[in-house]
Amino acid sequence: MEKFLVEGGHRLSGEVTISGAKNAAVAILPATILCEDVCVIENIPNISDVTIILQMLQDMGASVRLVNKTTVEIDTRGVFTNMVPAEQARHFRASYYFLGVLLGRFKEARSPLPGGCDFGDRPIDQHLKGFSALGAEHEIEHGGIIRVAADRLIGNQIYFDVVSVGATMNVMLAAVKAEGMTILENCAREPHIVDLANFLNSMGADIRGAGTDVIKIRGVKELHGANYSIIPDQIEAGTYMVMAAATGGDILVKNIIPKHLESISQKLELVGCNITEYDEAVRVVSSGIIRKANIKTMPHPGFPTDMQPQITALLCMADGTSIVTESVWDHRFKYVDELRRMGADIVVDGKVAVIEGVESLKGAPVKATDLRAGAAMVIAGLMAEGVTEIEDVRHIERGYENILFKMSMLGARIKKMEMLPQQVVTAL
Ligand code: EPU
């Protein structure tokens, strides 16, 4: 059983370099299947979600070669199947992007229904609505396998009933080689949507409007290989920014796009940090006080839901009562029980958490119930007295490259241990 042990009370300072964006990589890497050619993708994050996708691509017949730690060459000429590898897909939410790309390449795709972080109902009805508008039927086969297939994919006008990152990207992937024009309306506008569109355009696609709520895709017959560098990870950057706020610290967060961090910077200024933006970096200097704040998550450019657990952890030690409202996911406060174990005073009513700031948190055994909840436990651990022992760190490692090394370089006392509970006390 692997755990992180975090010793609280240490101020974090120095520089941290942000890796490539997970939620861009999990779409861009499968998208290489759309061309029968060779792509070189740079700035890939070294996280378990990416390892899984590269393995899936290999299992499907692609040849994958790591050029260096952050660059991969993928030759998709040998992809021979429209079936998404079952074992990996079941545990991995973003496997749904393989449906869009395989539909685009083979006009047919089969995959187990996707798994992933558990924070409520995670339907894919909007993905299927988009595929269907392009002419693809879907059915659930024996064993929970979803099959999507079309004789021809024909461009259409599609209005999404909810703003969905996954549906916007997946239907974009399926439409890129459809006949004629596809117009997607009520699209999500996250930076990774723009990144995917830029990558597809570099392969010869004709996509306009990514980053706005209307995306126009003129179908092309063929795509070709391309060299492309993935954008930096907005949420990894935001998480280190919150670590500065949580520890009275001073962190220069490097290799980022400041524009992507605006909603996070604004809230951190509100809670008492001084933020300076540079071309490709942002410096967060804490005033030493954590002020109360009210925060509502929204699709981009609003405050990201993927930063909600981290900011909630921070507000546990604010100087008053804060209200955090989650408007994207139905059940994204499950992790709050873990913060309560550490002495946090939080009441959750549906999608609203009321957080009464406390004088101190106490280190305790807690669980990383999902990826961002795990990041929240790390932040709470940094603020707490004593040692916090975080179980299920595999969730954290799905999305944060080298977190132990990066945090240690900033002065955190954090270790990974495989151990029995009674050994913890003497570990640090
Ligand atoms: N929704 C539907 N129908 C659909 C799709 C979504 O009703 O067909 C609803 C969802 O239930 C949710 C809302 O729409 O209430 C937004 O879901 P979205 O589709 O945008 O989420 P996603 O694409 O499944 C991605 C990220 C998540 C992030 C959300 C929102 C990836 C692989 N995952 O999920 O990231 O929380 O967008 O920004 O890109 C994370 O990185 O920790 C993470 C969970």
Side-chain angles (χ1 to χ4, degrees), residues 17 19 236 240 401-410:
T17 301
S19 305
E236 188 197 11
Y240 284 100
E401 176 176 323
N402 252 337
I403 186 166
L404 293 184
F405 174 76
K406 290 185 185 186
M407 286 183 66
S408 300
M409 294 307 285
L410 293 168

Side-chain angles (χ1 to χ4, degrees), residues 22-24 26 49 92-94 96-97 117 119-128 162-169 188 190 192 235 298-300 304-306 327-330 332 351 370-372 398:
K22 169 180 89 76
N23 289 346
V26 295
D49 269 11
F92 177 46
R93 173 78 187 161
Y96 51 48
Y97 291 127
C117 282
F119 33 76
D121 209 12
R122 298 190 70 175
I124 58 165
D125 58 298
Q126 297 303 305
H127 306 227
L128 298 175
V162 293
V163 176
S164 160
V165 171
T168 303
M169 308 232 275
E190 269 63 9
H192 29 291
I235 305 300
M298 298 286 279
H300 193 78
T305 172
D306 294 341
S327 78
V328 177
W329 297 108
D330 286 340
R332 208 173 189 175
K351 293 171 134 194
D370 66 53
L371 166 58
R372 308 303 172 188
R398 280 190 40 228

Side-chain angles (χ1 to χ4, degrees), residues 270-271 289-294 315 318-323 355 357:
L270 209 70
V271 303
I289 300 165
I290 304 170
R291 293 207 193 89
K292 64 183 180 178
N294 294 342
L315 294 173
D319 64 356
T321 309
S322 305
I323 297 178
I355 306 148

